[in-house]
Amino acid sequence: MRVSVLRTGEESYRFVWSFHHILMDGWCLFLVVGEAFHTYFAILEDRKLELAPVTPYSEYIEWLDRQDHAEAERFWRDYFAGFEQQTVLPQVKQLDGH
């Protein structure tokens, strides 16, 4: 994730926030951007910032470890039943012959 603030004039700025799509999907992008703006406006209005409690990622990993792995495997085997081969992605021909 990369964040930049660029000064474009005496009192004007551009805020550039870029990230790889694997880092944030549409669901979490909404949450992260919402929290960023909530924080920004709290600072602008000189009010106390109140954010929702955050669950550590380690708790999610612990939850995953407690799941029934045999049941999870059955679920995915059933879900993908009938698929005969992998999905083939289109390839781009390179001009240099590689």
Side-chain angles (χ1 to χ4, degrees):
M1 189 178 309
R2 182 177 301 157
V3 175
S4 300
V5 178
L6 309 169
R7 187 173 188 176
T8 58
E10 284 296 316
E11 294 186 22
S12 62
Y13 299 84
R14 292 284 178 166
F15 178 81
V16 180
W17 186 357
S18 60
F19 53 88
H20 192 279
H21 67 91
I22 202 165
L23 182 62
M24 286 198 286
D25 61 9
W27 176 80
C28 80
L29 178 62
F30 172 79
L31 297 174
V32 171
V33 170
E35 189 171 294
F37 277 103
H38 181 75
T39 301
Y40 175 73
F41 287 117
I43 292 168
L44 274 184
E45 297 164 5
D46 197 28
R47 62 180 162 80
K48 183 179 179 198
L49 178 62
E50 295 179 24
L51 297 173
V54 176
T55 302
Y57 187 68
S58 60
E59 288 184 25
Y60 171 67
I61 298 302
E62 291 167 2
W63 174 84
L64 279 178
D65 283 343
R66 291 190 306 268
Q67 302 310 298
D68 182 338
H69 297 285
E71 179 60 32
E73 183 177 342
R74 274 191 299 280
F75 171 83
W76 289 110
R77 283 190 189 280
D78 291 345
Y79 186 85
F80 288 112
F83 283 88
E84 301 290 326
Q85 65 185 32
Q86 66 187 15
T87 301
V88 179
L89 298 175
Q91 295 182 357
V92 176
K93 233 181 204 184
Q94 295 184 2
L95 297 177
D96 64 3
H98 290 86

